């Protein structure tokens, strides 16, 4: 019987820049290390993925986040894209939260592989290690 490669499910809930960055960093490194990674962006985290919020750096930040912005450190979008480019990393927006806010995938920065519901995400990540940020 063939052993399945380890997989990771990252659920981004918070709009705090540090949490978004940490989740993207963990996911990206896991992807580059050979893990299958699926990221689910939901609730308040979705706001930070909106083009207008992202372009205006409209993030909630703590001390580290403020320094990241001041020093123009590449943000979570760059980390997620690197994970996609160098491994198997998929990013999905939460259909329910986007419906509640009347947001479309076109309103978001260009990193999503689609907009799906929780049931579909749970089905595709069955058996994965799950972290939330």
């Amino acid at each position: 019987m063939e052993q399945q490669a380890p997989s990771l499910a990252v659920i981004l809930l918070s709009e705090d820049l540090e949490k978004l960055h940490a989740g993207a960093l963990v996911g990206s490194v896991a992807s580059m290390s050979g893990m299958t990674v699926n990221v689910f962006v939901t609730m308040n985290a979705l706001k930070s993925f909106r083009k207008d919020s992202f372009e205006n750096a409209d993030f909630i930040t703590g001390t580290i986040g403020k320094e990241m912005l001041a020093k123009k450190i590449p943000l979570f979008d760059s980390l997620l894209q690197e994970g996609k480019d160098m491994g198997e990393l998929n990013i999905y927006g939460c259909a329910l939260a986007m419906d509640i806010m009347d947001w479309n995938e076109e309103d978001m920065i260009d990193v999503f592989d689609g907009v799906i519901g929780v049931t579909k995400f749970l089905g595709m990540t069955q058996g994965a290690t799950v972290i939330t940020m």
Side-chain angles (χ1 to χ4, degrees), residues 10 12 24 27-28 37-42 46 49 76-85 88-94 105 109-116 121 124:
V10 179
L12 298 177
S28 182
V37 179
N38 288 293
V39 179
F40 191 65
V41 184
T42 188
L46 276 168
F49 282 77
F76 57 89
D77 66 318
S78 295
L79 293 173
L80 292 169
Q81 190 59 55
E82 285 177 15
K84 290 170 80 92
D85 292 345
E88 187 177 345
L89 186 143
N90 303 295
I91 307 162
Y92 302 99
C94 174
E105 192 172 348
I109 59 175
D110 189 28
V111 295
F112 285 176
D113 293 295
V115 175
I116 62 173
F121 184 75
M124 68 175 42

Side-chain angles (χ1 to χ4, degrees), residues 8 19 22 27 29 50 60 65 69 71 78 83 87 92-94 102 106 108 110 112 119 128-130 133:
L8 176 67
K19 290 180 182 179
V29 170
R50 283 183 49 89
I60 292 177
L69 292 173
K71 293 179 177 177
S78 295
Y92 302 99
C94 174
D102 289 326
E106 296 78 32
M108 304 296 166
D110 189 28
F112 285 176
T119 303
T129 300
V130 180
M133 302 261 183

Side-chain angles (χ1 to χ4, degrees), residues 5-126:
S7 62
L8 176 67
V10 179
I11 302 172
L12 298 177
L13 298 163
S14 175
E15 61 186 302
D16 292 352
L17 180 58
E18 290 88 342
K19 290 180 182 179
L20 293 167
H21 196 80
L25 179 61
V26 169
S28 182
V29 170
S31 173
M32 290 183 228
S33 299
M35 294 180 80
T36 298
V37 179
N38 288 293
V39 179
F40 191 65
V41 184
T42 188
M43 300 300 162
N44 292 336
L46 276 168
K47 179 180 177 274
S48 299
F49 282 77
R50 283 183 49 89
K51 288 176 184 172
D52 57 346
S53 293
F54 191 85
E55 290 166 2
N56 294 322
D58 185 18
F59 306 117
I60 292 177
T61 58
T63 304
I64 300 294
K66 288 177 184 161
E67 283 298 310
M68 289 170 56
L69 292 173
K71 293 179 177 177
K72 300 191 185 313
I73 302 294
L75 298 179
F76 57 89
D77 66 318
S78 295
L79 293 173
L80 292 169
Q81 190 59 55
E82 285 177 15
K84 290 170 80 92
D85 292 345
M86 300 180 78
E88 187 177 345
L89 186 143
N90 303 295
I91 307 162
Y92 302 99
C94 174
L96 176 64
M98 289 182 67
D99 284 347
I100 289 169
M101 297 304 296
D102 289 326
W103 293 340
N104 298 305
E105 192 172 348
E106 296 78 32
D107 298 324
M108 304 296 166
I109 59 175
D110 189 28
V111 295
F112 285 176
D113 293 295
V115 175
I116 62 173
V118 173
T119 303
K120 184 168 184 177
F121 184 75
L122 292 175
M124 68 175 42
T125 58
Q126 188 172 6

